[in-house]
């Protein structure tokens, strides 16, 4: 399979910017979390895609054999590209692992797709339960361009108007809370259970926050 970004001409025009953004995010993951060769990584929400930038952690991490990747369905293309990564089919809201099974939990651009706030809270809670530390990234709701549709301001509208406009513009797959439920910084921080202490890191473009990253450092010195 060719390693192409999904979508039409507009997506192809912005694919370099997307890939650059993910490289920056990976470097932030390295600098903030500082994973090492003995750490075990849980990546929740991988995609079965030939576009390596879509699963950039696996493409860039120097110890892929230490990663366990979770997807909602079978991952044959993912496993072809990353044969040393352990692939598991599971729902991120109910992970099949004991408490504190992994050193680091990772999830990129997934939490906005898992449902309402209660579903998002369960998703975050499972990462905190199963991992000593965690790194969760999501597009910032208050950035003016929605990265899923490339439409301006549509994600700022009340749900009923947003869904109507998404369907009218041919983006109906993103309509509904279960498909897209974007978060701002306060929303993201509020999902974390006590006693987890979360800090929000911002990835910016031209001074505007494009991506929010929630980091739980655990008990690491």
């Amino acid at each position: 399979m060719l390693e192409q970004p999904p979508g039409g001409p507009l997506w192809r025009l912005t694919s370099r910017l997307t890939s650059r953004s993910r490289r920056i995010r990976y470097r932030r993951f390295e600098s903030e979390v500082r994973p090492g060769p003995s750490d075990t990584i849980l990546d929740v929400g991988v995609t079965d895609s030939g576009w390596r930038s879509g699963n950039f952690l696996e493409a860039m991490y120097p110890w892929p054999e230490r990663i366990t990747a979770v997807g909602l369905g079978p991952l044959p293309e993912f496993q072809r590209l990353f044969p040393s990564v352990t692939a598991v089919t599971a729902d991120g809201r109910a992970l099949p692992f004991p408490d504190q099974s992994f050193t680091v939990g990772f999830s990129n651009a997934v939490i906005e797709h898992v449902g309402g706030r209660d579903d998002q809270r369960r998703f975050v809670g499972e990462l905190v339960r199963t991992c000593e530390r965690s790194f969760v990234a999501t597009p910032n709701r208050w950035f003016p361009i929605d990265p899923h549709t490339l439409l301006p301001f549509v994600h700022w509208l009340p749900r009923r108007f947003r869904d109507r406009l998404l369907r009218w513009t041919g983006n109906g797959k993103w309509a509904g809370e279960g498909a897209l439920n974007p978060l701002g910084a306060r929303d993201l921080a509020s999902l974390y259970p006590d006693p987890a202490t979360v800090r929000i890191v911002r990835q910016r473009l031209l001074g505007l926050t494009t991506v929010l990253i929630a980091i739980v450092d655990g008990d690491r010195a």
Side-chain angles (χ1 to χ4, degrees):
M1 180 182 292
L2 294 176
E3 295 177 11
Q4 295 284 344
L10 187 57
W11 279 106
R12 288 191 288 273
L13 286 172
T14 59
S15 64
R16 288 188 178 181
L17 184 61
T18 299
S19 296
R20 178 180 179 275
S21 174
R22 290 175 174 176
R23 288 194 298 271
I24 291 170
R25 207 164 314 145
Y26 176 77
R27 290 196 294 269
R28 183 61 63 88
F29 171 69
E30 283 191 316
S31 64
E32 296 283 349
V33 180
R34 302 196 304 277
S38 64
D39 289 327
T40 53
I41 311 292
L42 178 66
D43 184 2
V44 181
V46 300
T47 60
D48 193 43
S49 169
W51 185 34
R52 291 176 67 89
S53 179
N55 297 299
F56 65 87
L57 175 67
E58 288 75 14
M60 299 180 189
Y61 195 62
W63 306 288
E65 70 280 359
R66 304 293 288 171
I67 300 176
T68 296
V70 173
L72 277 175
L75 299 167
E77 185 64 18
F78 176 92
Q79 291 180 294
R80 184 188 70 80
L81 286 173
F82 309 110
S84 59
V85 175
T86 300
V88 175
T89 299
D91 188 323
R93 296 166 295 184
L95 294 171
F97 309 112
D99 295 357
Q100 302 295 280
S101 298
F102 300 90
T103 314
V104 178
F106 178 94
S107 184
N108 178 69
V110 175
I111 193 169
E112 69 270 22
H113 303 302
V114 303
R117 291 290 183 256
D118 287 342
D119 290 303
Q120 292 174 332
R121 195 168 287 111
R122 284 194 289 271
F123 182 89
V124 164
E126 282 292 271
L127 273 176
V128 171
R129 178 185 68 80
T130 57
C131 304
E132 297 171 14
R133 315 195 298 270
S134 61
F135 179 103
V136 175
T138 187
N140 177 27
R141 178 183 180 183
W142 301 114
F143 186 73
I145 305 297
D146 169 45
H148 304 91
T149 63
L150 301 182
L151 295 173
F153 311 119
V154 63
H155 50 308
W156 292 3
L157 297 172
R159 169 67 62 188
R160 64 184 184 278
F161 298 123
R162 181 195 316 168
D163 288 351
R164 191 176 303 167
L165 182 58
L166 288 172
R167 294 188 181 99
W168 183 73
T169 56
N171 291 286
K173 71 175 183 178
W174 300 115
E177 190 175 64
L180 181 60
N181 191 16
L183 300 116
R186 289 184 181 179
D187 301 322
L188 182 58
S190 72
L191 300 177
Y192 281 78
D194 291 332
T197 300
V198 61
R199 55 190 176 95
I200 304 298
V201 174
R202 297 170 183 266
Q203 183 175 321
R204 302 179 190 271
L205 177 67
L206 301 177
L208 299 176
T209 300
T210 57
V211 176
L212 299 166
I213 303 168
I215 298 173
V216 173
D217 293 308
D219 296 327
R220 183 188 59 177

